[in-house]
Amino acid sequence: MHLKSFVLLSLAVGILGCKKDVSKVEGNRAVPAKAAPANGSDTILFGHVASLTGEQATFGLSSDEGIRLAVEEQNARGLVRGKKIAVKTYDDQGKSEEAAIAATRLIVEDKVTILLGEVASTRSLAFAPIADEKKVPMISPSSTNPSVTKIGGKTRPYVFRVCFIDPFQGTVMAKFVRNNLKLSRVAILKDVGNDYSVGLADYFAKKFVELGGTVISEQSYKDGDQDFKAQLTQLRSKKPEFIYVPGYYTSVALIARQARQLGIKAPFGGGDGWDSAKLYEIAQGALNGSYFSNHYSEENQDPLLQNFIKNYKAKYGAVPDALAGLAYDSANLAIDAIERAKDMSPEAIRQAIEETKGFRGATGTITMDADHNPVKPADIIEIRNNRGTYNTTVEP
């Protein structure tokens, strides 16, 4: 698609080509229009690639809000190397090809110092090679597929993340279902066109079988599907005790509603792609008794997390989801690395990110491992009365 299709947010909603009112997508969560500062000598510019429109719009909007809160707080505290921080965000509409175009434009035209994004692994994979090629440090807040930071046995030098990865997340849920829920027969329904969903399904299945369980059926769908009754009818005939659906919130909620209409009573499970207020709005209670792995729970009383939640609620009038928290941490880690770097060169900043140890974030303490992944725990969220509640924490 032509570059004019992008919607530009710069401390707000800006414009490329024709105007687009993001507030119509997410109500009062949209940012008021305001021009972005240029990446001049008095500014350090962060570039953000996000899905501000499309089926995963809440992911991009939450992430953008988390980043902007971190930047606003830092600018209130003082300058970083004598400069203010600014943010420029492009909407990739939930499309990989748009994500690659956006990242390229941020690097080549806008001359960003740091590239932040994406939430979805498929879209991060579309521009991680660009970050390496152009030698601009990239931090993904919440892309969990291992290939985002490591491909073909080689760690991508300029690409990092602040979230746990799918092998851990899939293993966590397999252990929880087998050991905590004491279930032995599960089915899987995955988005076959999504790297995140396919990866999580594979890791979950492998660990569940290792633990003595059985995967009795696997079915698939594609992003954008609306009717899942054929797949669910197949699953119903196998009588699973648990159905693992590692997709994104819109599809998952529709799947759950259609499953209940077909008389399927088994609980569902998934990953952090479920984490959105829209999940509960669309599901209408169909996911009660289900579970998903996530990066944090608002019930965690860690003072840093609670302070982030308080400030986010004061600014945006809503409780932050995990995507907002991870994006907040990604921006703050970038700021911390810039302050620690020996100079402002991309290599120096990249090295500072790589050397991160014991960084205290809202979603946990971050120490980068050799593959540019943090070592962090996962929370299991249980859905009761159509809302997520903390169940347990699983350490790495």
Side-chain angles (χ1 to χ4, degrees), residues 25-95:
V25 178
E26 284 297 312
N28 61 12
R29 287 167 59 85
V31 190
K34 187 177 179 182
N39 190 12
S41 59
D42 61 343
T43 304
I44 297 171
L45 187 60
F46 287 2
H48 181 212
V49 181
S51 55
L52 302 175
T53 56
E55 288 198 351
Q56 290 103 46
T58 67
F59 287 168
L61 289 163
S62 292
S63 297
D64 206 56
E65 289 172 351
I67 289 168
R68 292 177 188 281
L69 178 60
V71 168
E72 181 180 285
E73 290 175 350
Q74 176 57 51
N75 286 336
R77 286 193 298 268
L79 302 177
V80 176
R81 289 182 173 265
K83 301 181 181 184
K84 282 197 169 185
I85 308 292
V87 185
K88 182 173 285 190
T89 298
Y90 289 119
D91 177 16
D92 63 28
Q93 305 166 46
K95 301 173 183 178

Side-chain angles (χ1 to χ4, degrees), residues 203-223:
Y203 296 121
F204 172 86
K206 180 180 178 181
K207 190 62 181 181
F208 195 76
V209 171
E210 284 179 7
L211 294 171
T214 304
V215 177
I216 58 176
S217 180
E218 283 199 40
Q219 296 290 321
S220 64
Y221 66 95
K222 288 186 178 180
D223 185 41

Side-chain angles (χ1 to χ4, degrees), residues 92-362:
D92 63 28
Q93 305 166 46
K95 301 173 183 178
S96 296
E97 62 272 22
E98 299 285 359
I101 293 170
T104 301
R105 183 161 189 176
L106 285 165
I107 293 170
V108 175
E109 295 186 16
D110 300 313
K111 309 295 185 184
V112 297
T113 299
I114 292 281
L115 192 60
L116 301 175
E118 227 265 13
V119 169
S121 295
T122 298
R123 297 192 286 276
S124 283
L125 285 166
F127 62 87
I130 298 170
D132 274 342
E133 178 190 349
K134 302 296 185 183
K135 298 184 177 180
V136 172
M138 166 186 165
I139 304 175
S140 170
S142 41
S143 290
T144 52
N145 188 285
S147 296
V148 171
T149 62
K150 187 175 183 178
I151 187 73
K154 182 180 178 181
T155 302
R156 300 185 193 271
Y158 279 84
V159 184
F160 303 83
R161 75 180 108 217
V162 296
C163 58
F164 52 62
I165 59 176
D166 288 337
F168 173 61
Q169 186 174 198
T171 296
V172 161
M173 186 55 70
K175 286 182 176 180
F176 178 77
V177 174
R178 187 76 180 108
N179 298 335
N180 294 56
L181 300 182
K182 308 296 185 184
L183 302 179
S184 59
R185 289 166 48 84
V186 304
I188 294 172
L189 180 54
K190 63 187 177 184
D191 180 351
V192 73
N194 185 301
D195 295 304
Y196 163 82
S197 185
V198 171
L200 262 186
D202 289 345
Y203 296 121
F204 172 86
K206 180 180 178 181
K207 190 62 181 181
F208 195 76
V209 171
E210 284 179 7
L211 294 171
T214 304
V215 177
I216 58 176
S217 180
E218 283 199 40
Q219 296 290 321
S220 64
Y221 66 95
K222 288 186 178 180
D223 185 41
D225 288 352
Q226 300 290 312
D227 187 348
F228 307 93
K229 290 188 176 65
Q231 299 96 317
L232 290 168
T233 299
Q234 288 291 326
L235 295 183
R236 183 180 61 182
S237 68
K238 302 294 184 179
K239 298 181 180 180
E241 298 173 311
F242 187 90
I243 303 173
Y244 190 56
V245 189
Y248 293 139
Y249 58 89
T250 301
S251 298
V252 169
L254 291 174
I255 287 167
R257 284 174 56 183
Q258 292 177 27
R260 301 316 180 207
Q261 291 167 6
L262 290 172
I264 297 174
K265 297 181 180 179
F268 287 85
D272 57 328
W274 286 29
D275 188 28
S276 171
K278 290 287 185 181
L279 177 80
Y280 309 110
E281 180 182 322
I282 299 169
Q284 299 177 6
L287 284 165
N288 285 339
S290 297
Y291 304 85
F292 65 97
S293 51
N294 206 9
H295 303 272
Y296 90 113
S297 166
E298 65 184 271
E299 297 170 33
N300 186 322
Q301 293 305 304
D302 177 87
L304 198 154
L305 172 60
Q306 289 302 316
N307 186 62
F308 160 67
I309 292 172
K310 180 188 73 174
N311 293 342
Y312 185 97
K313 288 172 69 175
K315 183 170 179 62
Y316 300 112
V319 175
D321 55 22
L323 291 309
L326 289 165
Y328 178 81
D329 284 351
S330 70
N332 278 319
L333 188 145
I335 292 167
D336 176 73
I338 290 170
E339 290 178 324
R340 287 187 286 109
K342 64 180 181 180
D343 54 48
M344 283 293 292
S345 67
E347 170 56 27
I349 296 171
R350 184 208 70 79
Q351 185 174 343
I353 299 172
E354 190 173 67
E355 293 172 351
T356 297
K357 289 183 175 61
F359 174 81
R360 289 276 288 118

